[in-house]
Structures are given as C-alpha cells and as structure tokens.
Amino acid sequence: MRSGPALDAETILTATEDVLRRHGPAKATVLDVARALGVSHASVYRHFPSKAALREAVTRRWLGRAREDIAAVAADTRQVPPERLRTWLTTLFAAKRKLLSEDPELFATYRVLAAEHSDAAADHVTDLLEQLRVIIADGVTAGDFTCADPAATARTVFDATMAYHHPAHAPEWQAPGTEAALEAVCALLVNGLRFR
Amino acid sequence: MRSGPALDAETILTATEDVLRRHGPAKATVLDVARALGVSHASVYRHFPSKAALREAVTRRWLGRAREDIAAVAADTRQVPPERLRTWLTTLFAAKRKLLSEDPELFATYRVLAAEHSDAAADHVTDLLEQLRVIIADGVTAGDFTCADPAATARTVFDATMAYHHPAHAPEWQAPGTEAALEAVCALLVNGLRFR
C-alpha cells in the first residue's frame, strides 16, 4: 500500500486516464485505478462515489484541456463575427479531431458519455453553445447577422455542424475532404445568418 | 425440407427480415434463415454468396420501401424550390424516424451497414443526394437560389442536416423539439441558399 502524501482527486484522475488508455472504457475498473496507485479501492471511492462518477470527472477534465483554444477564438474580437464564426467552427473541429487521434481510448470514453447524455458531455455542449451565442450576438450588434434570438440560433448552427463535432461522427473525421466539407457548411450558414 | 415452388431471392429476403426482427443483426445467421424457410443453408447461399451479401440486400430493399414518399417530394414541381427543399428534408426525417420506430431491429442492421460504408448505405446516400441536387438546380433556374454547383451544394445541405437522417443520431430523434430544431436548420439553410 502507498504511503507518503495524501491521495488527492487530481492524482486519482491522472491514474484513471492512464488506466483508460491501457484497458479502454469497457474494461477499466476502479480496482485497476487503485492498483495503479497502490491504494485500496475504498481510498478511490472516498473521492469518487462510483465508477460512473470517476469516468465523468476524467472526461470533464480531459475535455477541459481542449477548451482553451476554442474559447480563445470566441473571445477574439479582432476577428469580425462572420470570420470568427468560421474560425471557431474549424477550431472546434480541429480540437475534436486532435483529441481523437492523440487519445482514442479517452475519446471512446467521451463517446459513451455523450451517448448517455452524461452531465460532463451536456456541460461541454452548454459551454460551447454559450461561446457560439456570444459570436452570433456580436454579429447582430455589428450589423453582420440578422437573428432575433442568438441563443436559439447558436443551437441551430451547432445542430447544422453536428457532423464535425459530435463524437458519433468521429470515424469520418480523417476522410479526405472533411475540412473542405466543413468550410462549405460554414459558408452556407454564414450566408444564412447574413440574409435579410 | 421444403418442397413446392422454387426458392426465389424475394422469399429469402422476406424470411431474412423476419429473422432479423426476431434475433437482431448481431445474432441472426444464414442458418436461421434457412431453417425459417425449411431449406438447406446451401440453398440460401445459391442466391446470396455470404451473410454480408444477404444483409446488404435486405437493407437495400427495406430502405427502398421508404424511398417513394421522399422521391415524390423531390419531383413535385408544384412546390416552389425553397418550400420543396424544406418539405423534402422534413419528409426524409419523418421517413427515417418511422423506419426506426416501426422496425428497430432492421434499423439497427442499417446502422451497422452505414458505419461500415456498405454499398447499400452508400447507394442510398447517392440516391438522396441526386434528389436534393434536382431541387437545388430547380431553385437556381427559378432564381430562388444562388449556387455555382448544385451537386456540391446538395452535399453541403445533406451534411448540415446529418443530425436528422444519419442513423447514428437515431437515439435523439424522439426527443421533444427535434422537429422544431430541423425546421430552424432548414430556414437557415434556405436563407443561405437565397443569399446573393
């Protein structure tokens, strides 16, 4: 059994990431995590009440790491809103594809949570929708976009680009032409938003 | 063993549908189909060289049954193209959702084939894209839409409505608000196509 500094949640999450990378989401257990840390599984349960809670927390932290680049685009008011919207959607796609290629096992965990409408996946979507809403609202203020309800329109733009961020479409993301297809969807959506 | 009229491909496909409905795509075997017909499995293989070929043929026929309603909208020139595009997309969604609710096991088979990029699934998409191309080309001729390449734009509209026809999104199709969400996507796309 492990001695030394007290076990904290971050240490458990890092160990869980490693276990998920090694065993995959279907096979990884809390006991594997405890073993990797040299502690009892009760010590892990003290921080995370269930395997599901642990899996949620790992995915939440992992998705959070990709957040910075995407949020930076949403906040970059040097780009005019139509251009910022395009850059945001292509940055989101690039970030999702990078998560997939660099960490396929953790991506698989995220895909399971998205299919189960877990809190971690739902909060991730809520965060993205709010970024999108800000860009669209800025576009309305600047006179670039016409729309009555930026929050509702953010949802519509998000739905119309599902193929480029929903994990169920991940198997298609490496296909040639996917970036060009997203560019074409972005151009059509931006034209739709400009329409009056 | 069965006697009477010679075994034809249609009879085998009908029996295979029943077997798929009973056992699901993961468990259904060619032997189950042969048993249901009271023939040897060699008799089935005489018409379909493999389980994969049989599964493809069943899915192709099954998808074909939903085709008529959708194709009728594409050909209905009484509707002006912007309205026809909206009707076509909502009819396609309604048809897919009906296939799912009436025949979940055959839908699951189709979902597997779509993920595997099978010929049956690819041909289904090609057929739909051609219907969409005709509507968009009619819109360009009528002066409703601006677009240089109706076939490419058909692909873009299809990609932007993935959430409402791709089988991977089927678990979300019964959620309240899905029809309204599709209407909002359609309105944005039609505005994008009208833009000049």
Side-chain angles (χ1 to χ4, degrees):
Chain A
M1 287 286 134
R2 174 194 163 108
S3 63
L7 189 66
D8 64 15
E10 286 297 308
T11 306
I12 295 172
L13 293 178
T14 301
T16 307
E17 278 198 7
D18 291 342
V19 165
L20 282 166
R21 282 191 191 101
R22 260 198 326 266
H23 301 290
K27 288 188 185 166
T29 66
V30 173
L31 197 59
D32 293 326
V33 174
R35 272 200 200 114
L37 289 164
V39 302
S40 69
H41 61 277
S43 313
V44 176
Y45 282 122
R46 216 165 291 139
H47 290 272
F48 300 99
S50 65
K51 180 179 164 176
L54 183 53
R55 207 178 50 165
E56 282 256 337
V58 163
T59 304
R60 196 180 286 277
R61 193 178 72 157
W62 180 75
L63 284 170
R65 269 184 231 139
R67 187 187 183 277
E68 211 167 300
D69 291 349
I70 307 164
V73 174
D76 181 10
T77 51
R78 289 168 309 175
Q79 281 200 314
V80 295
E83 203 42 48
R84 209 190 321 155
L85 179 60
R86 269 194 210 101
T87 310
W88 189 86
L89 289 166
T90 52
T91 303
L92 173 61
F93 174 58
K96 286 279 169 96
R97 196 165 61 170
K98 189 162 170 253
L99 288 174
L100 172 68
S101 65
E102 290 185 353
D103 245 343
E105 293 296 359
L106 282 162
F107 196 95
T109 309
Y110 159 48
R111 191 169 166 175
V112 170
L113 293 189
E116 291 171 0
H117 304 284
S118 79
D119 286 349
D123 291 350
H124 169 65
V125 169
T126 303
D127 176 36
L128 293 174
L129 286 174
E130 173 56 18
Q131 295 180 31
L132 206 40
R133 187 197 64 74
V134 168
I135 300 172
I136 292 168
D138 283 357
V140 173
T141 305
D144 292 312
F145 297 153
T146 309
C147 97
D149 180 347
T153 303
R155 180 80 239 183
T156 302
V157 168
F158 197 73
D159 289 349
T161 49
M162 209 59 106
Y164 310 99
H165 51 71
H166 193 293
H169 289 281
E172 299 142 32
W173 290 346
Q174 301 294 348
T178 306
E179 261 155 343
L182 171 57
E183 289 288 350
V185 170
C186 289
L188 186 56
L189 295 176
V190 166
N191 282 348
L193 290 169
R194 284 183 189 276
F195 185 80
R196 63 198 69 211
Chain B
M1 289 287 135
R2 172 194 166 107
S3 63
L7 189 66
D8 65 15
E10 288 297 308
T11 306
I12 295 172
L13 292 179
T14 301
T16 306
E17 278 198 6
D18 292 341
V19 165
L20 282 166
R21 283 191 190 103
R22 261 199 325 268
H23 301 290
K27 287 188 185 164
T29 67
V30 173
L31 196 58
D32 293 326
V33 175
R35 273 200 200 113
L37 288 164
V39 302
S40 68
H41 60 278
S43 312
V44 176
Y45 282 123
R46 216 165 291 140
H47 290 271
F48 299 99
S50 64
K51 180 179 165 177
L54 183 53
R55 208 177 49 166
E56 283 257 336
V58 164
T59 304
R60 195 180 289 275
R61 194 178 71 157
W62 181 74
L63 284 171
R65 268 183 233 139
R67 188 188 182 277
E68 210 167 301
D69 291 349
I70 307 164
V73 175
D76 181 8
T77 50
R78 289 168 310 174
Q79 281 200 312
V80 295
E83 204 41 51
R84 209 189 322 155
L85 179 60
R86 271 194 210 101
T87 310
W88 189 85
L89 289 166
T90 52
T91 304
L92 174 61
F93 174 59
K96 286 276 168 98
R97 196 164 61 169
K98 188 162 172 252
L99 288 174
L100 171 68
S101 64
E102 290 186 354
D103 244 342
E105 292 296 0
L106 282 162
F107 197 94
T109 310
Y110 158 49
R111 190 168 167 176
V112 170
L113 293 189
E116 291 171 357
H117 303 284
S118 80
D119 286 349
D123 290 351
H124 169 64
V125 169
T126 303
D127 176 36
L128 293 174
L129 286 174
E130 173 55 19
Q131 295 180 31
L132 205 40
R133 187 197 63 75
V134 168
I135 300 172
I136 292 168
D138 283 357
V140 173
T141 305
D144 293 312
F145 297 153
T146 308
C147 98
D149 181 346
T153 302
R155 181 79 241 183
T156 302
V157 169
F158 197 73
D159 288 349
T161 49
M162 208 60 104
Y164 311 98
H165 52 70
H166 193 293
H169 289 282
E172 300 143 31
W173 290 347
Q174 302 293 350
T178 306
E179 260 155 346
L182 171 57
E183 289 288 350
V185 170
C186 288
L188 186 56
L189 295 177
V190 166
N191 281 348
L193 289 169
R194 283 183 190 278
F195 186 79
R196 61 201 69 214

